[in-house]
Amino acid sequence: MPSRTRARGVKTAAGVHTVHIPRQRGRRGSAPFVVVVPERPSLTREALTALGGLLWRSRRALAPTGLAVLALVVAALLHVIAWWSGLLLAPMAAGPLLWLLLMQRRRPATGTVLAWRTGLAVLASSALAWLATAAGFGPLAGALELWWLLTLITAQTAWLIVRRTH
């Protein structure tokens, strides 16, 4: 057993280290010293905290971006686990166009309503076609990354316009 005892660090409250210094020789009746040293967060931690707070405050405005990143990860996982899932997802790309035809038949629209319906159907079909293709060939194959980026920019822009008008 060593003759000297080392100070041991104890983590207490968030961001505070408490260091207990053992009793000194020759001072048997005295209590041990307790030194509390506040932890200073690094510059990287401060920057990530600020970025996380900014993203959290604007989470509703950035919903299409979050969904696009989620679709990118899901497509990558599907490609790695089961590349053939792209064949199963491909028919889903026609769904929004069928929805557009049914809506025009049930409730005919003209002007801006028709333009928004058409834009929404084309955007959703494009996103689903990208998901099927990316699941089959990989999300970064060929021009799929550019297709993903253009769909993301279009969806985010439309989302911000709709949020401002309503």
Side-chain angles (χ1 to χ4, degrees):
M1 179 148 202
S3 61
R4 294 184 166 235
T5 348
R6 294 186 179 170
R8 52 193 169 103
V10 179
K11 190 100 167 163
T12 57
V16 176
H17 290 285
T18 303
V19 179
H20 295 282
I21 301 175
R23 280 189 220 151
Q24 304 297 314
R25 293 180 186 220
R27 299 181 60 163
R28 297 196 185 272
S30 65
F33 292 96
V34 177
V35 179
V36 178
V37 181
E39 179 183 337
R40 288 192 177 133
S42 67
L43 186 59
T44 305
R45 183 175 172 189
E46 289 286 331
L48 288 176
T49 302
L51 180 65
L54 178 70
L55 289 174
W56 182 254
R57 285 188 300 276
S58 59
R59 65 187 178 273
R60 286 186 182 157
L62 294 175
T65 302
L67 288 174
V69 171
L70 180 67
L72 187 71
V73 171
V74 166
L77 287 174
L78 283 176
H79 175 67
V80 169
I81 294 171
W83 63 268
W84 47 267
S85 63
L87 298 172
L88 299 176
L89 293 172
M92 288 177 39
L97 298 175
L98 291 174
W99 170 83
L100 178 64
L101 291 175
L102 286 175
M103 285 300 291
Q104 275 303 105
R105 200 164 182 176
R106 287 184 186 169
R107 295 183 181 176
T110 57
T112 58
V113 174
L114 180 60
W116 276 103
R117 281 183 189 174
T118 306
L120 180 64
V122 167
L123 184 64
S125 285
S126 174
L128 288 171
W130 176 88
L131 183 63
T133 310
F137 297 107
L140 302 179
L144 287 179
E145 55 209 8
L146 180 62
W147 186 2
W148 176 82
L149 184 64
L150 291 175
T151 304
L152 165 66
I153 291 170
T154 305
Q156 185 66 52
T157 304
W159 180 259
L160 292 175
I161 290 171
V162 168
R163 282 179 48 92
R164 296 270 185 232
T165 57
H166 292 286

